[in-house]
Amino acid sequence: MMLPTQPKKNRYKTFLIVFILVAIYVWAFAGIPFGGIKDTAGSVSKAIFSGLIHPDWSYVYMGDGEDLVSLLIETIAIAFLGTFISAVLSLPFAFWAARNKKNKRFVSTTGKFVLTAIRTFPEIVLAIMFIKTVGPGSFAGVLAVSIHSIGMLAKLYSEAIENMDQGPSESIISAGGNKIDVLFFATLPQLVPEFISYTLYRFELAVRSASILGIVGAGGIGTPMIFAIDARSWDRVGIILIGIIVMVTLIDFLSGALRKKLV
């Protein structure tokens, strides 16, 4: 039995797409300046690798508040508080951007535009802006995480509102229920589990973001990491990276288990 061959038109289209992609990559790499490998590259790479596989275990806990455990807890706190604030502030934005019977298309479009504009500012940029306003430290990190998270959380919340089943609401109204009954017996039972699931997912991402905000002085584990890199203290960098990996892995596991129970 012979397999049907691909039409010539589709083959030419595939070849054209591949050719264009290859041409774009060649053009992009051709514009990258390359001055060669430095003479010290071998010794520096060896020192980095040696430091990463021989981490500074004494830095795990020293009791002065500037050790690995204390700063990882501070990083989690920044992510948690930033996510909590954004979850509260995202609710009005979500109902504004949701496209349903109550919202006109123009109203929901403006809401989606605002959320897109908020998401265009990375946490690092927001952290730098807030550092200039409130000074360096964890507070700037919390503000950066919370404001940036509004754009993503409100978008996810609005999609949940748009996809909500209207059957229970119509049944309660037809049975003589009022808006309060619809809210507590139809709307919230559908939205709350999804909202919590999305918030947990956003918390996972916020932990990763909070881990690097310290690079610009916004608190968390990023501050000692950039100091260790500047000082070429690769054993300190190694233990910090191990701590971040363990922290992110545990949070992802716990968040994933909770989200499976909710949705």
Side-chain angles (χ1 to χ4, degrees):
M1 180 178 178
M2 295 182 62
L3 295 174
T5 58
Q6 188 179 15
K8 287 186 177 180
K9 184 178 180 181
N10 292 341
R11 289 205 303 268
Y12 292 150
K13 185 178 180 181
T14 303
F15 290 150
L16 179 62
I17 293 174
V18 172
F19 175 78
I20 292 174
L21 289 176
V22 171
I24 291 174
Y25 274 100
V26 170
W27 172 77
F29 280 102
I32 298 177
F34 180 70
I37 299 176
K38 295 183 177 180
D39 298 334
T40 58
S43 59
V44 172
S45 300
K46 184 179 179 180
I48 293 173
F49 183 74
S50 176
L52 293 179
I53 63 176
H54 298 93
D56 180 13
W57 295 106
S58 64
Y59 183 66
V60 173
Y61 184 76
M62 298 185 297
D64 58 355
E66 296 296 330
D67 51 73
L68 179 65
V69 173
S70 301
L71 292 172
L72 287 178
I73 293 174
E74 180 181 329
T75 301
I76 296 174
I78 292 172
F80 178 82
L81 187 55
T83 305
F84 178 79
I85 294 173
S86 65
V88 175
L89 297 180
S90 295
L91 292 175
F93 286 95
F95 284 97
W96 178 16
R99 188 167 294 169
N100 50 35
K101 294 180 180 179
K102 295 181 180 180
N103 262 6
K104 295 182 179 179
R105 188 178 183 86
F106 173 76
V107 175
S108 61
T109 301
T110 56
K112 293 180 184 298
F113 175 78
V114 170
L115 296 181
T116 302
I118 294 174
R119 290 199 304 274
T120 57
F121 292 92
E123 288 99 335
I124 288 289
V125 175
L126 290 172
I128 295 173
M129 295 169 61
F130 284 122
I131 286 172
K132 299 297 182 181
T133 306
V134 301
S138 302
F139 187 40
V142 170
L143 292 176
V145 171
S146 60
I147 297 301
H148 178 80
S149 298
I150 290 175
M152 180 57 68
L153 267 183
K155 178 180 181 296
L156 296 174
Y157 288 177
S158 66
E159 291 176 355
I161 295 171
E162 292 174 351
N163 298 327
M164 185 178 59
D165 184 11
Q166 299 296 331
S169 301
E170 295 173 355
S171 299
I172 292 175
I173 293 174
S174 63
N178 53 30
K179 293 183 179 180
I180 302 297
D181 296 329
V182 172
L183 176 64
F184 282 99
F185 296 107
T187 303
L188 291 181
Q190 292 187 69
L191 294 182
V192 169
E194 291 197 52
F195 282 5
I196 296 176
S197 177
Y198 289 142
T199 304
L200 289 172
Y201 172 69
R202 183 59 207 173
F203 174 63
E204 296 176 21
L205 302 180
V207 170
R208 295 179 176 87
S209 300
S211 299
I212 62 173
L213 289 181
I215 293 176
V216 295
I221 194 63
T223 301
M225 183 169 65
I226 193 63
F227 287 161
I229 292 174
D230 290 339
R232 304 294 191 271
S233 180
W234 302 116
D235 55 344
R236 180 68 58 86
V237 175
I239 192 62
I240 291 174
L241 290 177
I242 291 174
I244 293 174
I245 291 171
V246 172
M247 175 185 67
V248 171
T249 303
L250 289 176
I251 289 176
D252 284 357
F253 176 77
L254 293 174
S255 175
L258 290 173
R259 285 191 285 117
K260 286 182 181 178
K261 292 182 179 296
L262 288 170
V263 180

